[in-house]
Amino acid sequence: MRAIVIHEARDLRIEERDVTPPGPGKVQIRLATGGICGSDLHYYNHGGFGPVRLKQPMILGHEVSGFVEEVGDGVTGLAPGDLVAVSPSRPCGVCRYCLEGRANHCEAMRFYGSAMPFPHIQGAFREVLVADAAQCVKADGLTPGEAAMAEPLSVCLHATRRAGELLGKRVLITGAGPIGTLSILAARAAGAAEIVTTDLSDPALAYAAKAGADRTINIGSEPDALAEYQAGKGTFDVLYECSGAAPALAGGLAALRPRGICIQLGLGGDMTIPMQMLTAKEIDLRGSFRFHEEFAVAVALMQRGTIDTAPLISHSMPLDNAVEAFEIASDRSRSMKAQIVFSEAA
Ligand code: NAD
Ligand code: ZN
């Protein structure tokens, strides 16, 4: 079977890998769809991010769905032909954070396609994937492309949980990439009354509008547009910071009302924080990192039609065109979520 392997920056290859049969509790999946995420793009464009560097070839990918081909001994509830969304979150289950129910903080997390540990954790962009049955959520009623959106949506559901009660709240979202745009859908589903979204890119903001933002602001061409929200100590109850850019955080915090909550999703490396404003307005700054149990919730919300991710899938490209798909995914003016199609049907 073929897999998408990154060797170093800009050296992406389609290579043959062996298939091992599914052992007890495991499921063999014929991959259908793989969404390209920002971290895959960091490996592709830069060979890593911050101190995390590729030290050996690594299969990329962690936003995947596929069709069950075979189940190992002891697997119940899954059968050949089932469409499943596969969670890349593989906590150990026994460390203190797993036992506390905070699996996203697992000390031995084996998240697909990560060069953080060495040897690297190989990813899921492969024609045949053997996964734990516990990672698989049945996704009947969804397209394989929608099922592969469960992963980034889970990130935004976890952030929404970190934000607390959203019913009737005014929300600002900075950054309208896939994470910001899916956060619009998550915040709306949680009852947000008003959602304003900023970005530097008009095409990205067009997707934000499609996702239901009440107002979109190009903060590049309208740098003063947040001023009306920053007046009188601020307007918004909650900020989802989804750009990882320090100016977005500073402008967003200024637009938060006293006792507002900032959820920091963007991974900006060395962002600076206006501490004085945090103190004086008694703002809660909360990080949000990955997800775990939200994955099944993401699938269920899409199945019920509460959240529709389909409009955000801008490209579906065959495995043979993987390099082109990574190029398109790297260009925000052309794409929102680019996905690779590994196979068409069960
Ligand atoms: P992305 O790069 O596609 O989107 C970021 C967007 O922010 C871009 O559209 C960019 O134009 C915009 N932007 C840049 N500067 C801005 C500014 N000053 N004001 C407003 N917008 C600005 O990334 P993504 O895939 O949507 O992910 C968003 C961030 O979340 C990234 O930093 C990513 O690493 C991070 N992330 C975090 C988690 C987590 O668990 N915390 C999970 C996935 C991704
Ligand atoms: Zn653990």
Side-chain angles (χ1 to χ4, degrees):
M1 62 120 174
R2 295 176 297 167
I4 300 177
V5 183
I6 187 80
H7 284 251
E8 55 184 75
R10 326 269 327 156
D11 183 359
L12 188 74
R13 307 182 198 171
I14 297 175
E15 292 180 346
E16 279 298 322
R17 288 287 188 277
D18 294 335
V19 178
T20 43
K26 298 203 182 273
V27 179
Q28 181 172 311
I29 296 153
R30 167 119 343 234
L31 216 69
T33 302
I36 300 173
C37 161
S39 62
D40 300 315
L41 293 172
H42 275 290
Y43 292 119
Y44 174 68
N45 287 306
H46 312 294
F49 42 89
V52 178
R53 295 280 126 198
L54 282 170
K55 298 191 188 76
Q56 61 184 162
M58 182 177 80
I59 301 177
L60 287 175
H62 57 267
E63 301 181 357
V64 295
S65 69
F67 294 97
V68 174
E69 263 186 344
E70 204 182 319
V71 299
D73 287 345
V75 173
T76 55
L78 291 172
D82 286 345
L83 173 66
V84 289
V86 186
S87 175
S89 172
R90 297 187 296 167
C92 73
V94 295
C95 74
R96 60 184 161 153
Y97 299 112
C98 282
L99 295 176
E100 278 174 14
R102 304 213 193 288
N104 61 318
H105 292 294
C106 173
E107 291 176 286
M109 176 63 80
R110 291 175 310 125
F111 205 90
Y112 282 141
S114 170
M116 254 179 236
F118 186 86
H120 302 338
I121 312 293
Q122 298 296 316
F125 282 176
R126 45 177 112 200
E127 288 177 298
V128 179
L129 175 70
V130 174
D132 293 338
Q135 291 170 252
C136 300
V137 177
K138 270 172 79 165
D140 29 304
L142 300 184
T143 64
E146 289 166 334
M149 293 295 273
E151 198 276 346
L153 178 57
S154 303
V155 169
C156 305
L157 294 177
H158 183 74
T160 299
R161 181 169 268 160
R162 295 279 294 138
E165 169 85 57
L166 277 187
L167 201 62
K169 298 279 174 71
R170 301 179 80 175
V171 172
L172 174 64
I173 296 180
T174 51
I179 293 296
T181 311
L182 289 165
S183 291
I184 295 170
L185 296 172
R188 185 69 81 199
E194 181 186 355
I195 302 175
V196 176
T197 306
T198 66
D199 203 288
L200 302 170
S201 150
D202 284 332
L205 289 167
Y207 280 100
K210 228 196 290 191
D214 297 293
R215 180 176 176 191
T216 60
I217 296 171
N218 187 322
I219 203 71
S221 54
E222 298 177 77
D224 299 326
L226 283 180
E228 63 180 275
Y229 301 106
Q230 293 164 345
K233 287 197 174 188
T235 301
F236 297 103
D237 302 291
V238 174
L239 164 65
Y240 289 64
E241 204 302 295
C242 302
S243 74
L249 176 65
L253 289 175
L256 271 184
R257 18 178 320 132
R259 299 257 170 131
I261 297 168
C262 170
I263 306 297
Q264 182 65 38
L265 281 131
L267 293 161
D270 46 4
M271 288 171 81
T272 49
I273 306 169
M275 287 306 295
Q276 179 69 25
M277 188 154 43
L278 225 68
T279 306
K281 292 210 287 183
E282 300 188 324
I283 284 169
D284 279 352
L285 176 60
R286 302 181 185 171
S288 183
F289 190 58
R290 295 180 176 161
F291 56 86
H292 187 69
E293 62 276 22
E294 291 86 357
F295 191 82
V297 180
V299 173
L301 287 171
M302 288 189 284
Q303 284 175 319
R304 286 195 202 105
T306 309
I307 288 181
D308 181 10
T309 57
L312 305 186
I313 303 170
S314 57
H315 294 78
S316 303
M317 304 184 58
L319 173 57
D320 287 331
N321 298 9
V323 172
E324 192 190 347
F326 272 73
E327 287 294 328
I328 287 176
S330 302
D331 183 352
R332 174 64 61 248
S333 72
R334 285 202 285 167
S335 74
M336 177 49 70
K337 177 58 74 182
Q339 294 182 329
I340 294 172
V341 177
F342 287 78
S343 66
E344 291 288 352

